[in-house]
Amino acid sequence: SNQRLRAEAATKFEEMASAMLSEGLKIYAGSTYRSYDYQLGLYNRYVAQDGFAEAEKYSARAGYSEHQTGLAVDIADLSLDYDNFEKTKEFTWVKHNAHKYGFILRYPKAKFHITGFKYEPWHYRYVGDISEYIYKNNLLDIYKEKIKEYLEK
């Protein structure tokens, strides 16, 4: 619908969603590209709601959000309930297959010390061909360095 991703990421997301649909599962791109202003407003709302320290655990400041790259997607099932996405068949499928389409679970459990963000089972990042390697080797440390290099360009 009105969700936007970079062309390659969008194509791969659509391929993944089609593969799932053929197995009777349906996902949505719940949140994709966000402008600087949108992210600024979102972050400020979270700070007002939960305080600075807590908001820092789950929301990126404007200018630092992966959503601003057009490569991140918050995946939802039919319920559109992110908090319960982990309990769905869709999550299980995506968790075990997203890497085949160039996506990785960006904020996995027990990786706060690496990512700086709490566990978000719905947040996937398009990284392309390296996704298979990251997935099989659980290498978010390498991924973090690649993001840093990308943001410094």
Side-chain angles (χ1 to χ4, degrees), residues 52-100:
F52 174 77
E54 197 60 31
E56 285 283 297
K57 295 176 185 175
Y58 66 86
S59 183
R61 298 175 190 183
Y64 296 90
S65 173
E66 291 188 337
H67 285 283
Q68 290 177 254
T69 67
L71 297 170
V73 56
D74 290 344
I75 299 176
D77 69 329
L78 287 171
S79 72
L80 299 176
D81 182 357
Y82 293 120
D83 291 331
N84 288 309
F85 182 62
E86 182 180 23
K87 299 172 187 168
T88 67
K89 292 177 185 174
E90 288 79 1
F91 168 75
T92 300
W93 192 100
V94 171
K95 178 181 174 184
H96 295 294
N97 294 284
H99 64 281
K100 298 173 185 174

Side-chain angles (χ1 to χ4, degrees), residues 23-35:
E23 296 183 31
L25 302 171
K26 192 167 189 176
I27 57 170
Y28 295 95
S31 182
T32 55
Y33 170 77
R34 297 176 187 162
S35 69

Side-chain angles (χ1 to χ4, degrees), residues 3-14:
Q3 299 298 327
R4 298 182 299 169
L5 288 169
R6 289 189 186 191
E8 185 177 348
T11 297
K12 292 297 188 176
F13 181 84
E14 289 173 7

